[in-house]
């Protein structure tokens, strides 16, 4: 059974940082790409970042480019999203998923809430 456990969310002031973690079981990052998504209140879920399984290429939505960094520790089977210079617009529930950066995400974590105050 595949399980993804996202954690690390919280309340932070604008300009602050948080690191989200996604602990995986039943699946390895050697077999799947890692994706981070978020859903702001009243908005549709959007893709934030993706790390390819094939060559480790990383992709970011333009609004977080240069501020967020996706990474993984395959030995720990844990993925991370380092978020710096946070803005109120980054507020939302953040989800991790494994699948393909082309858009196929069969497995999802439960989400962790990030709130950025101004």
């Amino acid at each position: 059974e595949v399980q993804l456990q996202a954690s690390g969310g919280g309340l932070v002031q604008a300009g602050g940082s948080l690191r989200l973690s996604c602990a995986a079981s039943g699946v390895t990052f050697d077999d799947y790409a890692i994706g981070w998504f978020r859903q702001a209140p009243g908005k549709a879920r959007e893709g934030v970042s993706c790390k390819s399984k094939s060559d480790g290429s990383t992709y970011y939505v333009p609004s977080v480019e240069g501020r967020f960094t996706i990474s993984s520790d395959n030995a720990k089977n844990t993925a991370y999203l380092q978020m710096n210079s946070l803005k109120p617009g980054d507020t939302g529930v953040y989800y991790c998923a494994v699948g393909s950066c082309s858009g196929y995400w069969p497995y999802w974590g439960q989400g962790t809430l990030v709130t950025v105050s101004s």
Side-chain angles (χ1 to χ4, degrees), residues 30-102:
D30 292 329
D31 297 324
Y32 291 95
I34 303 157
W36 285 97
F37 299 78
R38 68 185 178 189
Q39 186 164 21
K43 295 187 177 180
R45 185 171 60 196
E46 68 167 343
V48 174
S49 181
C50 179
K51 182 181 179 185
S52 170
K53 75 173 181 77
S54 57
D55 60 2
S57 297
T58 56
Y59 306 92
Y60 300 92
V61 67
S63 61
V64 309
E65 185 84 49
R67 300 188 296 120
F68 290 12
T69 303
I70 188 172
S71 64
S72 64
D73 183 336
N74 288 12
K76 294 182 179 180
N77 226 24
T78 301
Y80 305 97
L81 186 68
Q82 178 67 43
M83 307 187 295
N84 299 328
S85 302
L86 283 162
K87 305 175 181 180
D90 295 318
T91 293
V93 178
Y94 283 69
Y95 301 88
C96 59
V98 293
S100 169
C101 292
S102 64

Side-chain angles (χ1 to χ4, degrees), residues 2-28:
V2 176
Q3 290 189 336
L4 301 174
Q5 182 74 34
S7 62
L11 174 63
V12 64
Q13 289 188 331
S17 297
L18 284 174
R19 187 177 79 158
L20 305 184
S21 298
C22 177
S25 60
V27 66
T28 72

